[in-house]
Structure formats: structure tokens, C-alpha cells
Amino acid sequence: MDKMIVQGGHQLNGSVRVSGAKNAALPILFSALLAEGKHCFRNVPKLKDIDSTASLLESLGCETSWEQDTFYVHVKKPKSFEAHYDLVRKMRASFLCMGPLLAKYGEAVVSLPGGCAIGARPINLHLEAMKALGAEITLNEGYAKASAKKLKGVPFLFETSTVGGTENMLMAAALADGETIIENAAKEPEIVDLANYLNAMGAKITGHGTSIIRIEGVEQLKPAEHTIMPDRIEAGTLLIAGAITGGEVQVRGCSPLLYESLIYKMQESGFKCTVTQDDVTIHPCASWVGVDVTTAPYPLFPTDLQAQYMSLMAIAQGTSVITETVFENRFMHVQELVRLGADITPKSRVAVVRGKPKALKGAPVMATDLRASASLVLAGLAAQGETSVGRIYHLDRGYEKLEEKLISLGAKIGRQ
Ligand code: EPZ
């Protein structure tokens, strides 16, 4: 069952609800380490990266459980403060356990995550931030060890906008002595969701969602409960699924403000969208034009929607230039789309897409990473004939029941 088989040419129509955001849930689950006791989370998406996070929390002495759709994390004093390589290599976001462990217990030994398909993914800025808070950092045999009696709040400037780095520093600073000011903080909505949960536990954080976040350290945090925000990347992926098949699809349960950069680009390309407070409906469009996109930190066009957008541009009328500024190797889907008949020329961080309606013909292709796998499924929906997407386990890391959602909209898709 390693392949997704997509029969192309079927219009998607109907309404679909977005699940909770993977990239909000992961840091929020790790933040539970800051407060011993039972934390309660709703709208946590059921997907592989959540399972990996649960395994890592359990390796640190926590108990996790599902009761219907509520996820509980019962945090107890860890037996060890080590996040093992076998767990971290499966999911780089495991590195987010460093900040909470260091702040709460004064020690964290976390395997360096290593690179991944889309880039080197260094964590140097995470370590700079921990050092700035007073931690001693040693790197040894593939592990980063951080220790500190008590972290001390400081002003700190991130030289590059980093989501994970901002999240690690937010969590560490919550229990530091005094005030921390994070400058050039990442502004992604998932950072806001994390800060909201930290404040629910008793932290004193202001400015989240802007590039300057202030954290007044407190003595102790208490377990709380939280509903994870909706997944804006899944919402954008589902909107493109409707658009690329020429159907009418309502994407429910995610504010359009969270992915308006995509909505604007699709409208510029010729699509009509009906937008309400929590839903976006894409209307049938016989043809659309190529529109350039450059990815960048929020609120600009998200790198996590670049591959999906490229599939849409592959069958647009005319050329679009897609520039990837966040990761150095996030065009692994290009050659697979070319196998399906797309006319795309990648050059370092720029891909020229010569769009042509009906250019895509089904073929076997291979997924290389999470968002690339989504882009290949989307292309398969629009291609003539059958597309099989191999190594579909990549998709299961970040999308909850994607094929069920697409089938409910009329897609002919299944696993083999
Ligand atoms: C988060 O990754 C997301 N993952 C990514 O989503 C997302 O693409 C990325 O943010 C950008 O929005 C999670 O939230 C779990 P970064 P993260 O630190 O935190 C460089 C998906 O598909 N950098 O903002 O790792 C880095 O190399 C995933 O859901 C350093 O140089 O991203 C990159 O060029 C993929 N040093 C840039 O910053 C550091 O210490 C942005 O990375 C850290 C980052």
C-alpha cells in the first residue's frame, strides 16, 4: 500500500472541512513539557508526525492517549532528557523539545536533526538563541547538549526569520528569569497558536504574530487545554484540488486570512472565489493564466504551498516563474511533474513553468517529500488517465485522510 492511484479527469465538487494544523500541533505538544500534569488538546490532526511526537514524549516519560478526538499528554518528570537520534531523524521538528526541556529541567540532549530532501535545514539559530539565554551548548557524536541552572531573559535578534527557532526560543523564554525580546521573530499563525497556548498555561507573552515578541519569564506554568488552529496549508491544497479539476469546492473551517496570499494569486490567475469568515469557495474556471510567485515568510506566499501551486501553473495558459527563497532544494517535484508532461525548467531557486492546458498525462511518479507528494496527487487529478504516486508515506506525515476528503468531492483515488 505504498502507492496512491489517481484516475484523472474527474471534476471535484462539494464541501470539505480542514483538519487541525500539523505545524501548530507539533510545537504545542512539545510545549507541554514545560508543565507537569495532564494537558488536553482538541482538533489535533491524526497523522504520522503526531504519532512520532507522541513516541518522543513517551520516551521522555510522558503518557499520551486519545479519547475520541481529544488528545491528552500527561507530563511527568522525565527519566532522561535525551531525544534519541532514531526518533529525531524521523521528524526534524523533534528538535523543538530542546527549549522546553532546557527551561524546565536545565538540561536537554537532542540529536541533531540532519538535513532532509528540501534542504540542509540547519539548527544553528536555535542553538544561538539557547546560548543567548545562558545555556551552555556542546556538540558531541551527533547530539547537541544544552544545560543551564536558570535561563536569563535577553533581547535577541534572529538574523534569518525562522519558525522553529522562534518557537524554541518562545518556549525556553517562558520560564527564564526576566524579560526576553525576540526581534525578527517569525510571524506565522502557528507561532501565534503556540504563544496562545503558552499564555493559557500562565506564560506572559505579547507581540506574537509581529516581528517583535516580548516574553516576561514566570516561575511556573500549569497544564491547560487548547484547540489547535486549522491547517492553512491543507486548506490551500484542497482549494487547488478544486481549481485544478475545474470544479466548485468549498473549503470550510479555515479563515481566508490565513492563506490570502494563495487566494490573491489564484484570483489574479483568473479564478473566482467566494470568501466568508471561515470558508472559501473556488468556482469553476475553464482556463486560467500563469502568474509568477515568490515564496517568503508569512504573510507572503508560503513555501509549503509552492509545489501544489506549481501543479496548477503546469496547466495554466502561459508562462509563470516560481521562485523559492526559503529552502535551497525544494524543486524535487519538478522532474516528476515533467514526467506527467509538464514543461518546467528549474534553475537553482527559480523554476520557469510553461503552462499548457491539458498538458498532463497520467504516469507512474515518485514522491520525495511531504508537499511534493501533495503536488503529484493534485497533478494526477487533472492528468488524462491514471497516475500512480509512489512512496506515498510522505503524504501521511502531514495530511489527515486526504484521499477520503478528495473522494468525498468526487475524486477517483485509492491506495495500492
Ligand atoms: C517550519 O520549518 C515548518 N515545519 C516547515 O513546514 C515550513 O516550510 C517552514 O517552517 C517555513 O515556513 C514545522 O513547522 C514543523 P525555518 P522550520 O526555521 O522551522 C533557515 C512542511 O512541509 N534556518 O523557518 O524548520 C532554514 O534553512 C514543513 O510542513 C537556518 O539557517 O523552518 C530555512 O532556509 C516543511 N538556521 C529558513 O531558515 C536555523 O537554525 C527557514 O526555516 C533555522 C533555520
Side-chain angles (χ1 to χ4, degrees):
M1 301 290 263
D2 178 40
K3 287 191 178 69
M4 189 76 85
I5 310 296
V6 189
Q7 303 302 335
H10 298 275
Q11 225 183 54
L12 299 194
N13 291 293
S15 179
V16 63
R17 171 165 288 282
V18 172
S19 298
K22 164 180 88 80
N23 291 349
L26 298 180
I28 286 171
L29 294 182
F30 283 118
S31 75
L33 292 165
L34 288 163
E36 290 173 13
K38 195 163 185 179
H39 301 246
C40 166
F41 300 110
R42 282 179 293 280
N43 204 33
V44 175
K46 292 189 169 84
L47 34 86
K48 285 270 174 293
D49 275 7
I50 298 296
D51 298 342
S52 304
T53 303
S55 307
L56 179 51
L57 290 170
E58 285 158 9
S59 77
L60 294 169
C62 303
E63 284 167 15
T64 72
S65 60
W66 284 99
E67 281 170 36
Q68 267 105 28
D69 287 339
T70 303
F71 187 65
Y72 294 93
V73 178
H74 195 155
V75 178
K76 299 174 179 159
K77 185 167 171 48
K79 298 186 276 292
S80 92
F81 307 114
E82 178 174 326
H84 198 270
Y85 173 63
D86 282 347
L87 292 164
V88 177
R89 72 182 172 79
K90 282 197 199 105
M91 185 187 70
R92 317 180 60 266
S94 311
F95 205 75
L96 293 172
C97 71
M98 171 169 276
L101 286 174
L102 179 62
K104 176 74 178 159
Y105 300 107
E107 186 184 337
V109 182
V110 185
S111 166
L112 294 171
C116 75
I118 64 177
R121 311 293 297 276
I123 41 89
N124 60 309
L125 300 177
H126 296 238
L127 300 178
E128 292 304 313
M130 297 303 117
K131 266 193 264 186
L133 289 167
E136 195 189 318
I137 305 280
T138 49
L139 300 180
N140 189 19
E141 293 175 2
Y143 283 78
K145 179 176 180 186
S147 47
K149 271 210 177 11
K150 179 78 177 162
L151 296 176
K152 196 167 168 357
V154 284
F156 182 80
L157 170 73
F158 275 108
E159 64 192 49
T160 309
S161 166
T162 160
V163 170
T166 302
E167 289 166 343
N168 244 332
M169 187 161 206
L170 254 184
M171 293 187 280
L175 290 179
D177 243 349
E179 182 184 54
T180 296
I181 303 171
I182 305 179
E183 294 172 45
N184 193 26
K187 299 184 282 190
E188 272 67 8
E190 293 75 23
I191 304 267
V192 174
D193 214 32
L194 170 62
N196 288 341
Y197 186 57
L198 291 168
N199 282 341
M201 287 199 277
K204 291 187 179 141
I205 299 170
T206 55
H208 35 299
T210 76
S211 55
I212 297 183
I213 304 178
R214 289 172 185 277
I215 308 105
E216 188 56 49
V218 295
E219 270 306 302
Q220 196 184 27
L221 295 176
K222 290 196 172 45
E225 51 184 66
H226 187 71
T227 299
I228 302 293
M229 66 174 281
D231 192 321
R232 62 193 170 100
I233 304 303
E234 184 194 26
T237 305
L238 291 167
L239 205 66
I240 294 175
I244 206 168
T245 59
E248 175 153 307
V249 170
Q250 180 193 49
V251 176
R252 291 196 327 273
C254 182
S255 161
L257 297 176
L258 294 177
Y259 58 124
E260 60 186 0
S261 54
L262 170 71
I263 296 166
Y264 289 156
K265 284 294 174 183
M266 291 176 75
Q267 289 170 327
E268 198 183 330
S269 177
F271 290 95
K272 297 273 176 290
C273 296
T274 302
V275 172
T276 67
Q277 191 179 342
D278 279 324
D279 309 329
V280 179
T281 301
I282 189 92
H283 297 291
C285 181
S287 84
W288 53 93
V289 299
V291 172
D292 297 355
V293 142
T294 296
T295 67
Y298 190 84
L300 300 179
F301 195 94
T303 174
D304 292 349
L305 280 172
Q306 177 257 107
Q308 300 90 313
Y309 181 78
M310 189 181 287
S311 295
L312 186 65
M313 290 297 108
I315 56 172
Q317 186 76 43
T319 298
S320 56
V321 176
I322 296 178
T323 306
E324 171 56 61
T325 71
V326 179
F327 292 111
E328 67 269 27
N329 189 37
R330 203 168 198 175
F331 283 156
M332 307 283 276
H333 44 286
V334 168
Q335 294 315 326
E336 300 305 308
L337 290 172
V338 167
R339 279 182 53 75
L340 296 175
D343 181 354
I344 307 172
T345 310
K347 275 201 176 46
S348 176
R349 291 192 180 217
V350 178
V352 177
V353 183
R354 293 174 191 81
K356 201 163 114 236
K358 302 203 186 322
L360 300 179
K361 304 244 177 327
V365 290
M366 190 70 80
T368 50
D369 57 84
L370 168 56
R371 305 305 175 181
S373 53
S375 81
L376 295 174
V377 169
L378 293 174
L381 291 173
Q384 291 148 38
E386 180 177 286
T387 298
S388 70
V389 183
R391 294 187 186 159
I392 203 61
Y393 58 82
H394 287 291
L395 193 81
D396 299 330
R397 291 194 49 181
Y399 287 95
E400 182 182 54
K401 300 196 179 80
L402 184 63
E403 70 257 41
E404 283 90 323
K405 288 170 180 165
L406 295 175
I407 289 168
S408 75
L409 296 170
K412 302 282 178 262
I413 182 171
R415 289 182 188 236
Q416 203 174 64

